[in-house]
Amino acid sequence: MERSAWIDDELALLGDQVARFLAREFVSAAERWSQQGFVDRSAWWKAGENGLLCASIPAAYGGGDGHWGHEAVIAQEVARAGLNGGFGIGNMVSSGIVAHYILAYGSEAQKQRWLPAMARGELIGAVAMSEPSAGSDLKAIKTAARKAGGHYLVNGAKTFVSNGQQADLVIVAAKTDPAAGRKGFSLLVLETRNAAGFQRGRALEKIGLHAQDTSELFFDDVRIPAENLLGPEEGCGFAQLTEQLAWERLSIALVCVAEMERAVEITAAYAQDRSLFGGKLFDLQNTQFKLAECKTLAAVARSFVDGAMVAQLGGTLAPDRAAMAKWWASDSLGKVVDDCLQLHGGYGYMTEYPIARMWADARIARIYGGSNETMKSIIAKAMQTPGGNGGGSRA
Ligand SMILES: Cc1cc2nc3c(=O)[nH]c(=O)nc-3n(C[C@H](O)[C@H](O)[C@H](O)COP(=O)(O)OP(=O)(O)OC[C@H]3O[C@@H](n4cnc5c(N)ncnc54)[C@H](O)[C@@H]3O)c2cc1C
């Protein structure tokens, strides 16, 4: 496969090392993680020891001292190893999102307290935005944080929280001033160990991503120290969320492309092996046309997403471009895994075949990180505003 323009020799070497590490240490555990519904804690420690966590966080805070390219290479290799539906999403949330909220908006003391432990895998991070009655419409969240002396008292409920069962640090989006609209949002970091009034709901049962612990979280007068606000002051939460969402969307798109490439590779190999009508499945013109279409979808998405990645590395990725990458790549992935499953016949419906898992895992990419309808709203909004790029809103 042609090397992406944003991958230099150092990143290519990292990709090889990560692929070898995953094959040696994680791949054989993947089925057990799917059965138990979460990735072993010891795997997080191992990932930390081997540089897979917080790769883009400065060494001064215990990270790998890399940049978004390091994060992206790791995410792609994890997807290629078939581990996106557990460790991959977990790490993208913890290292790629939570650590970056802390790096961008945390005080020096917060960074020193949390980031080195996250890089070692001792603290797993989660982001709790969505609520039972507010997903796309984030402004409608009800979770409230009321200042009481040196603490905030937090009340409310969150749902669909990735890493929710295991998280040691949860960034909670809450209203600190319900009357102030967007300016009334704040982000608070809950340290979950021994947090009175904090409860994890059941691990949600999903059609895919079986090794990912996705949960409801409940807050009943939970005391979060005032110094755990991601500052510099109350009311910055909405702007902070929207600033970080472009990377979240691009990282989803990157993984979708890696998944498409994997699906095509697996299916081409299967079709060359499977015998029917005295020949091979691959010999049929329909198989060839379908695989050609799938490979083209993957290649077109790769080209656009790589361009967005170059913009991200240069600090110029606009929200509408990230939204295009996310909806296009996840929509294309849906088509590719469906066609690839069809080419496997009945075996494609059997969970022991990787394509079956990939098909189920892929469905969420059109929904989370902001649904694809939300992505189109962002793109349309940018067209309405002369010179606009869709910044400043989730929806
Ligand atoms: C496995 C999984 C992991 C997740 N991880 C996290 C996490 O870690 N943290 C977190 O906070 N959230 C997480 N989410 C939540 C996810 O981001 C939301 O599910 C998503 O934003 C959609 O919100 P909703 O489910 O409430 O759907 P709704 O907002 O109720 O949307 C319902 C439908 O309406 C459509 N719609 C919405 N707005 C518009 C519009 N303006 N125009 C047209 N149609 C529209 C949507 O696209 C969707 O089809 C996760 C979800 C899942 C399933």
Side-chain angles (χ1 to χ4, degrees), residues 282-313:
F282 200 96
D283 300 335
L284 302 174
Q285 194 185 49
N286 176 66
T287 307
Q288 295 174 5
F289 281 10
K290 283 292 169 199
L291 282 171
E293 288 169 18
C294 289
K295 190 158 187 177
T296 307
L297 279 173
V300 170
R302 164 64 68 195
S303 176
F304 186 82
V305 170
D306 278 350
M309 188 63 202
V310 170
Q312 172 73 13
L313 290 172

Side-chain angles (χ1 to χ4, degrees), residues 141-171:
I141 65 165
K142 295 196 182 106
T143 298
R146 185 170 55 81
K147 194 93 174 267
H151 288 84
Y152 287 95
L153 281 179
V154 179
N155 284 285
K158 297 287 180 182
T159 193
F160 299 146
V161 178
S162 301
N163 293 344
Q165 291 287 306
Q166 298 228 71
D168 310 286
L169 292 182
V170 181
I171 297 187

Side-chain angles (χ1 to χ4, degrees), residues 97-360:
I97 301 174
V98 175
H100 278 274
Y101 276 105
I102 295 169
L103 184 68
Y105 312 117
S107 65
E108 189 56 29
Q110 289 173 334
K111 291 180 209 177
Q112 295 290 356
R113 187 156 91 241
W114 295 321
L115 292 175
M118 291 182 79
R120 290 193 297 269
E122 291 161 12
L123 295 179
I124 297 175
V127 184
M129 295 188 246
S130 305
E131 299 188 357
S133 56
S136 308
D137 184 10
L138 258 193
K139 288 192 288 302
I141 65 165
K142 295 196 182 106
T143 298
R146 185 170 55 81
K147 194 93 174 267
H151 288 84
Y152 287 95
L153 281 179
V154 179
N155 284 285
K158 297 287 180 182
T159 193
F160 299 146
V161 178
S162 301
N163 293 344
Q165 291 287 306
Q166 298 228 71
D168 310 286
L169 292 182
V170 181
I171 297 187
V172 184
K175 283 192 173 162
T176 37
D177 182 356
R182 280 168 190 235
K183 297 264 163 70
F185 270 73
S186 299
L187 301 182
L188 298 164
V189 182
L190 171 69
E191 295 168 282
T192 60
R193 284 177 198 165
N194 306 319
F198 169 68
Q199 262 198 312
R200 302 176 204 262
R202 66 202 165 88
L204 298 168
E205 287 177 26
K206 310 184 292 296
I207 60 172
L209 309 185
H210 288 147
Q212 214 335 276
D213 50 309
T214 314
S215 307
E216 297 168 307
L217 302 178
F218 301 102
F219 305 81
D220 180 10
D221 269 346
V222 178
R223 285 157 71 93
I224 300 186
E227 73 247 22
N228 285 18
L229 174 78
L230 287 181
E233 63 213 1
E234 284 180 14
C236 302
F238 209 87
Q240 292 166 343
L241 287 173
T242 48
E243 260 175 46
Q244 298 293 320
L245 280 168
W247 165 253
E248 182 177 338
R249 287 160 185 166
L250 177 56
S251 64
I252 292 171
L254 276 159
V255 167
C256 288
V257 175
E259 294 280 358
M260 278 189 260
E261 292 164 348
R262 178 169 180 247
V264 172
E265 215 176 283
I266 286 174
T267 310
Y270 179 84
Q272 285 172 75
D273 189 52
R274 175 77 174 160
S275 300
L276 74 178
F277 300 116
K280 295 293 182 190
L281 174 60
F282 200 96
D283 300 335
L284 302 174
Q285 194 185 49
N286 176 66
T287 307
Q288 295 174 5
F289 281 10
K290 283 292 169 199
L291 282 171
E293 288 169 18
C294 289
K295 190 158 187 177
T296 307
L297 279 173
V300 170
R302 164 64 68 195
S303 176
F304 186 82
V305 170
D306 278 350
M309 188 63 202
V310 170
Q312 172 73 13
L313 290 172
T316 59
L317 181 68
D320 60 337
R321 192 166 175 192
M324 289 178 205
K326 195 266 176 184
W327 92 255
W328 179 263
S330 59
D331 232 51
S332 302
L333 174 62
K335 293 183 186 116
V336 166
V337 288
D338 199 64
D339 279 348
C340 287
L341 186 151
Q342 185 73 14
L343 286 172
H344 278 73
Y347 297 98
Y349 202 66
M350 300 297 122
T351 51
E352 71 195 88
Y353 280 76
I355 195 65
R357 297 278 173 95
M358 292 177 78
W359 179 80

